[in-house]
Structures are given as structure tokens and as C-alpha cells.
Amino acid sequence: MFAKMIFSSLLTISALAGSAFAAPFNPQTQSLDRRYISFNNWHGLSSLSGFDNFYGSDNFSGEISTQVVEQETEVVCHSLSVEIIQQKLLVLQEMAKQIITEQICDVETQTIVFQQYISASSHFTSDIMHTSGISAGYDSSIVSHYSGLYNSDGSLSTSDLGISGSDVGKSVIVPTGTNWNSATSPSSVQAAYTAAQSAISGN
Ligand SMILES: *[C@@H]1O[C@H](CO)[C@@H](O)[C@H](O)[C@H]1NC(C)=O
């Protein structure tokens, strides 16, 4: 009994460690066998009307499998102080919170929309680490809509930006100039990922 308990808690620990430290999900080598729940009007919430249209049904996290890279535009990375990078990302983080809390009133919809945002963003991990088959870059035509988020008086706009989740990946810029080395970087980015995950979980 005691031995069995130890064994099952070891299993739990290794399962947790497995999810924290495993390489990001790779759609080319793994499959996700789960049942999709439609979120259109989920639990009768009209604020979720049309939710599934954005990425298409059965596609909650909008993972892209193909991308169109704009070959004619060459962009080279130029490093900037990490604190300035952290400042910029903090602004984006708080803007997401502003949109979710000021423009969604149903807490269930706030919950589902924020989970979709995190999940859709998280695929970028395996792009950076070169394990997804998708190059690490950004969709320049989506980025160009940033000025449509606010009105000139600084309040959040209510305008339809005319874009959909299915537009992402159609005009991708892949900046060059990173220190990626195909011999050494697979293990060094894995070590970086593991260190960051340990910092997150506090071990
Ligand atoms: C999911 O959405 C993304 C983004 O729109 C798209 O690239 C991908 O093809 C979609 N996947 C499926 C299975 O529909």
C-alpha cells in the first residue's frame, strides 16, 4: 500500500515534469486525439456567437501548418536592451487585458477568449526552437492593424479590423541574423527552455 502510494506519486511527479519540460507539441510527429467542443453560443452566451468562425471549427488554438514568407522583404534582427524588450511586451500584455476587461462583459467569455489567446501565442515557442517546421517570424499584414486598436482620443476602438484568424501566416516576414547554429542550437535552446520552465514552476 505504502509502496503503491510512493509509486503513484512518483508517476504524478514525472507526469508533471513531463508536461513542464517536454519539447513543444509538434504536429508533424504527434497527434492530438481529443474531442472539439464548439464555443459558438457556449452555454447560451450570445457574446460567444460566431466564436468558431475565427480559426475555423475544431481549431481552438489556431495553430498554423503553412506560412507564406515574403521573400522580397529582407529584415535583419538588431539586438536591443532586454529591458526595453520587456517594456514593449508588457505594453502588449496590458493591452490584451484592457481589451478583454473593457470589451467583454461575460466572465466566461473573458476566460475562453484569454485561453485562446495564450494557446495561439504559445505555438511560437516551437517556431523559435526550430521544432515546428514553421519559421519564427510574424505576419506583417496583421501587425499593420495595430493603429486600428485605438481611437485618436486614446480609447479602445470598436471598429471591425476586417481580419480573421485564417489570415495569419499569409504574409510572413522571417528576420535573419539570429545566432541559430543547426549543430549546437537544438540543445542550447532546449536548455534555455528548461531553465525558463524551472523558473516558472519555482523548482
Ligand atoms: C487553424 O487555424 C490556423 C490559423 O488560421 C490555420 O492556419 C490552420 O490551417 C487551421 N487548422 C485547421 C485544422 O483548420
Side-chain angles (χ1 to χ4, degrees):
M1 171 65 185
F2 186 59
K4 195 176 160 198
M5 265 174 59
I6 291 173
F7 182 60
S8 73
S9 51
L10 278 175
L11 271 184
T12 311
I13 291 164
S14 64
L16 286 173
S19 60
F21 301 129
F25 176 71
N26 181 347
Q28 258 127 41
T29 55
Q30 292 167 275
S31 79
L32 255 192
D33 229 357
R34 59 15 177 180
R35 203 160 44 96
Y36 186 76
I37 307 156
S38 170
F39 287 97
N40 287 339
N41 298 299
W42 185 85
H43 283 205
L45 289 165
S46 59
S47 54
L48 284 166
S49 166
F51 179 95
D52 291 353
N53 299 342
F54 197 71
Y55 286 124
S57 56
D58 201 12
N59 196 5
F60 183 81
S61 64
E63 181 167 35
I64 67 163
S65 45
T66 55
Q67 62 184 175
V68 180
V69 176
E70 287 186 12
Q71 303 287 1
E72 67 281 7
T73 324
E74 166 131 17
V75 178
V76 183
C77 60
H78 291 285
S79 289
L80 192 62
S81 142
V82 74
E83 289 180 68
I84 298 175
I85 304 296
Q86 289 169 316
Q87 290 168 355
K88 292 184 177 205
L89 294 177
L90 183 60
V91 173
L92 294 178
Q93 177 188 302
E94 296 305 310
M95 281 168 60
K97 294 183 193 175
Q98 182 185 16
I99 293 165
I100 288 170
T101 55
E102 288 187 9
Q103 301 194 306
I104 302 174
C105 299
D106 291 329
V107 291
E108 299 82 4
T109 302
Q110 290 180 341
T111 303
I112 291 166
V113 166
F114 189 57
Q115 288 310 302
Q116 180 173 57
Y117 175 72
I118 292 172
S119 164
S121 306
S122 71
H123 300 306
F124 188 54
T125 302
S126 51
D127 302 345
I128 295 170
M129 295 176 74
H130 290 227
T131 56
S132 64
I134 297 284
S135 301
Y138 59 93
D139 191 300
S140 58
S141 58
I142 304 286
V143 170
S144 72
H145 289 280
Y146 73 92
S147 57
L149 297 184
Y150 288 91
N151 299 313
S152 48
D153 67 0
S155 60
L156 278 179
S157 88
T158 53
S159 54
D160 182 339
L161 302 176
I163 52 174
S164 176
S166 54
D167 295 324
V168 76
K170 289 184 178 167
S171 47
V172 175
I173 306 268
V174 179
T176 57
T178 69
N179 68 343
W180 181 264
N181 173 320
S182 54
T184 57
S185 299
S187 63
S188 62
V189 294
Q190 187 60 50
Y193 179 80
T194 302
Q197 290 300 317
S198 299
I200 292 168
S201 62
N203 326 291

